């Protein structure tokens, strides 16, 4: 079991990372680097963070009970040392990749995660825009298998925390690209800008937490292209900074779709667990349909250009 | 207890610092529509196939776009632009806030309302009449304009 000193260290790191936000604003004010802040947007981010901490505190007991239950019925005893922590960290990162991918591909889970993507700005304060319902969606139980294998719940929690702390610095436009080896192996601001973009080309890509290898391995890696700057936010953006509306808008959308009359069970399940933007009447805005429309547009404009040349 | 006070103190200082920096950095006029061409170009970033005419709000923070598929709306949100095609049942009501301002209400929890202030009474009442017709007609959203 890891010593409490490790957790105190992560608290200090967290405070240090928070200091980077005003630093980014200061540096960006010199106009040497790119970073866009908006007062209302940043205040909404802070409000979402406060709410997230509050609800995490309220409901984490349920999740921890499940983790402890699994640990009591563990398959083996994994001691806490440097090697076991490395293994735990890699496993946790794979868990994060899977969790993240499901969170983007199924509307029920997206309803919780969409909060983090709802800002049209991308800066260090975007980190703070966190879900209020992550415990509620059920995916938090994906942490249970590690405890069942035999990793102590504190080790699981430490790996989880370190993974999230790593992801703080990648929410920025101030850093263009890291060295090539770094870009290949690890998640970087460039990769994460793609992940937060709503351009059809960039949708549903780069789910990695720390190691980019998961995206490369499972075919979800998309590099940032200079000719197509990311447009941050959602396909259908929010027109509010009200934290309650930000936190619940997709759930309200699900409820409204479920209230439609005359839907089959299959269609109702589609509105619940189908990909975000799915519609029963064919007027979809899913990633696949948006990419198809974009490809058709490009082909059309390419054809028109060819005709002009001829 | 000491740790808790330390955390609260640090966060308080950070909060104040952040707020001050944001106030200092705030440039409210960075997104404004200066012309109809600006508005159409911005609208086309959201709906690439849209063509038509634009009516700008007096403050340049919004515009109504009349396209071949019906009216659309462009509104500043933070330092970005939000756009949507206007049609019932998403557009639920249009009301006058005063002689030159309109409030549009949507059946969308994530974007419940938009406000537009026009330069004169005539423009406001013309736009209001156009949008009220739309609400009353109950016409569904046009299917031939695709969101980018």
């Amino acid at each position: 079991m890891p010593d409490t000193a490790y957790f105190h260290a992560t608290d200090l790191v967290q405070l240090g990372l928070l200091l980077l936000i005003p630093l980014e604003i200061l540096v960006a004010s010199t106009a040497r680097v790119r970073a866009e802040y908006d007062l209302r947007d940043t205040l909404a981010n802070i409000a979402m963070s406060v709410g997230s901490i509050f609800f995490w505190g309220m409901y984490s007991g349920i999740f921890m009970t499940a983790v402890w239950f699994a640990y009591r019925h563990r398959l083996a005893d994994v001691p806490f040392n440097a090697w076991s922590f490395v293994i735990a960290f890699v496993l946790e990162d794979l868990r994060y990749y899977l969790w993240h991918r499901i969170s983007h591909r199924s509307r029920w889970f997206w309803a919780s995660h969409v909060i983090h993507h709802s800002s049209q700005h991308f800066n260090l304060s975007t980190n703070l825009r966190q879900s209020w319902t992550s415990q509620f969606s059920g995916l938090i139980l994906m942490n249970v298998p590690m405890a069942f294998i035999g990793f102590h719940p504190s080790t699981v929690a430490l790996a989880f925390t370190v993974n999230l702390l790593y992801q703080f610095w990648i929410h920025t436009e101030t850093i263009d690209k890291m060295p090539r080896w770094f870009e290949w192996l690890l998640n970087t601001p460039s990769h994460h800008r793609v992940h937060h973009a709503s351009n059809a080309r960039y949708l549903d890509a780069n789910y990695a937490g720390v190691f980019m290898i998961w995206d490369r391995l499972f075919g979800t890696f998309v590099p940032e292209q200079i000719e197509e700057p990311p447009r941050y936010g959602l396909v259908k953006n929010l027109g509010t900074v009200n934290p309650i509306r930000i936190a619940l808008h997709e759930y309200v959308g699900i409820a409204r779709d479920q209230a439609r009359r005359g839907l089959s069970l299959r269609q109702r399940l589609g509105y619940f667990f189908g990909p975000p933007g799915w519609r029963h009447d064919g007027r979809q805005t899913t990633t696949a349909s948006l990419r198809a429309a974009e490809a058709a547009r490009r082909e059309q404009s390419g054809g028109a250009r060819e005709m002009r040349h001829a | 207890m000491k740790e808790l006070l330390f955390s609260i103190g640090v966060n308080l200082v950070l909060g104040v610092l952040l707020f001050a920096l944001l106030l200092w950095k705030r440039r409210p006029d960075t997104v404004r529509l200066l012309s109809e061409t600006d508005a159409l170009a911005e609208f086309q970033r959201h709906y690439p196939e849209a063509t038509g005419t634009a009516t700008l709000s007096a403050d340049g923070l919004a515009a109504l776009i009349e396209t071949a598929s019906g009216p659309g709306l462009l509104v500043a949100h933070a330092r970005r632009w939000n756009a949507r095609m206007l049609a019932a049942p998403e557009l639920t009501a249009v009301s006058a806030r005063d002689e030159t301002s309109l409030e549009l209400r949507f059946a969308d929890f994530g974007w419940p309302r938009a406000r537009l202030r026009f330069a004169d009474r005539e423009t406001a009442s013309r736009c209001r009449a156009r949008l009220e017709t739309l609400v009353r007609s109950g016409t569904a959203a046009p299917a031939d304009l695709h969101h980018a």
Side-chain angles (χ1 to χ4, degrees):
Chain A
M1 173 183 161
D3 193 84
T4 49
Y6 289 106
F7 289 96
H8 290 153
T10 60
D11 285 348
L12 283 175
V13 171
Q14 210 164 343
L15 287 174
L17 290 174
L18 280 174
L19 272 170
L20 293 177
I21 297 175
L23 186 68
E24 186 184 40
I25 298 171
L26 264 177
V27 172
S29 300
T30 64
R32 283 191 203 125
V33 291
R34 188 178 156 76
E36 265 196 312
Y37 277 81
D38 176 83
L39 182 63
R40 293 197 321 152
D41 179 78
T42 308
L43 289 178
N45 293 346
I46 294 169
M48 296 315 293
S49 176
V50 171
S52 164
I53 294 166
F54 175 76
F55 287 110
W56 178 266
M58 265 183 80
Y59 297 113
S60 61
I62 302 169
F63 151 65
M64 284 313 290
T65 305
V67 171
W68 275 106
F69 179 82
Y71 186 68
R72 272 199 294 274
H73 298 85
R74 62 190 175 274
L75 298 174
D77 273 311
V78 182
F80 181 77
N81 57 41
W83 285 109
S84 70
F85 184 72
V86 169
I87 294 166
F89 189 75
V90 173
L91 285 176
E92 159 58 22
D93 200 47
L94 174 61
R95 193 246 4 130
Y96 182 88
Y97 172 86
L98 296 171
W99 167 85
H100 205 182
R101 190 168 167 161
I102 296 167
S103 294
H104 277 260
R105 302 282 175 110
S106 174
R107 194 183 182 191
W108 169 249
F109 305 109
W110 173 242
S112 168
H113 185 59
V114 65
I115 285 100
H116 182 60
H117 287 268
S118 61
S119 171
Q120 293 183 62
H121 297 270
F122 187 73
N123 52 50
L124 289 175
S125 79
T126 309
N127 273 296
L128 305 176
R129 193 177 278 236
Q130 294 293 335
S131 171
W132 291 4
T133 54
S134 55
Q135 317 270 321
F136 179 64
S137 75
L139 278 188
I140 198 81
L141 293 174
M142 285 180 79
N143 287 291
V144 168
M146 278 180 68
F148 185 61
I149 291 169
F151 290 98
H152 192 277
S154 302
T155 310
V156 177
L158 188 62
F160 179 86
T161 308
V162 174
N163 196 302
L164 290 185
L165 287 179
Y166 175 85
Q167 292 180 49
F168 191 90
W169 76 282
I170 60 176
H171 291 83
T172 186
E173 289 186 291
T174 58
I175 297 167
D176 183 20
K177 295 257 185 186
M178 300 299 287
R180 275 178 70 177
W181 69 267
F182 198 99
E183 292 280 340
W184 187 87
L185 183 67
L186 297 164
N187 202 358
T188 63
S190 173
H191 298 326
H192 211 56
R193 285 194 288 271
V194 166
H195 178 68
H196 272 259
S198 62
N199 315 42
R201 175 197 289 215
Y202 294 149
L203 284 171
D204 285 351
N206 300 0
Y207 297 116
V210 175
F211 298 116
M212 218 57 213
I213 46 171
W214 309 122
D215 281 291
R216 296 183 190 279
L217 203 61
F218 299 123
T220 49
F221 175 69
V222 174
E224 186 180 27
Q225 306 286 337
I226 297 170
E227 70 273 14
E228 189 164 345
R231 284 194 312 271
Y232 305 112
L234 307 172
V235 170
K236 194 179 168 196
N237 279 304
L238 302 184
T240 179
V241 286
N242 178 332
I244 293 168
R245 288 188 185 274
I246 294 172
L248 301 176
H249 73 273
E250 194 63 31
Y251 290 108
V252 172
I254 292 176
R256 281 193 176 143
D257 286 330
Q258 292 301 327
R260 287 169 196 258
R261 288 182 184 173
L263 294 180
S264 66
L265 178 65
R266 191 188 166 91
Q267 287 167 340
R268 288 193 189 282
L269 288 174
Y271 277 115
F272 211 84
F273 291 113
W278 181 87
R279 280 175 68 114
H280 76 285
D281 56 9
R283 294 165 63 194
Q284 310 196 5
T285 51
T286 58
T287 299
S289 64
L290 289 168
R291 280 196 181 143
E294 176 74 10
R297 234 184 338 259
R298 278 177 201 272
E299 203 171 298
Q300 213 173 18
S301 63
R305 218 175 297 134
E306 270 173 32
M307 277 175 74
R308 273 200 299 276
H309 281 295
Chain B
M1 190 63 188
K2 265 184 193 170
E3 283 161 349
L4 184 69
L5 285 174
F6 172 74
S7 303
I8 291 170
V10 171
N11 280 294
L12 204 67
V13 171
L14 277 175
V16 170
L17 184 60
L18 179 63
F19 194 73
L21 282 167
L22 282 168
L23 283 178
W24 173 59
K25 173 96 171 77
R26 197 178 184 195
R27 293 179 203 140
D29 58 349
T30 48
V31 287
R32 258 173 222 278
L33 299 168
L34 298 174
S35 66
E36 267 193 52
T37 320
D38 271 5
L40 281 171
E42 189 54 50
F43 195 72
Q44 279 164 351
R45 274 170 33 90
H46 300 265
Y47 295 94
E49 292 136 32
T51 50
T53 55
T55 307
L56 265 61
S57 69
D59 53 11
L61 293 174
L64 275 179
I65 317 287
E66 192 61 58
T67 75
S69 311
L73 175 70
L74 189 64
V75 176
H77 178 68
R79 289 173 191 241
R80 299 281 184 273
W81 293 98
N82 279 356
R84 75 182 337 162
M85 292 305 294
L86 295 174
E90 279 81 15
L91 177 65
T92 54
V94 181
S95 57
R97 286 167 54 81
D98 55 52
E99 288 185 333
T100 57
S101 303
L102 297 183
E103 180 166 284
L104 280 56
R105 290 191 166 269
F106 309 117
D108 182 346
F109 193 73
W111 188 358
R113 72 178 72 85
R115 285 168 184 167
L116 296 101
R117 189 166 57 80
F118 294 101
D120 53 72
R121 228 162 51 183
E122 287 70 37
T123 312
S125 75
R126 179 169 50 81
C127 290
R128 185 182 176 186
R130 171 74 179 104
L131 296 174
E132 278 179 341
T133 314
L134 208 67
V135 174
R136 277 197 300 269
S137 72
T139 318
D144 56 345
L145 273 190
H146 297 284
H147 204 290

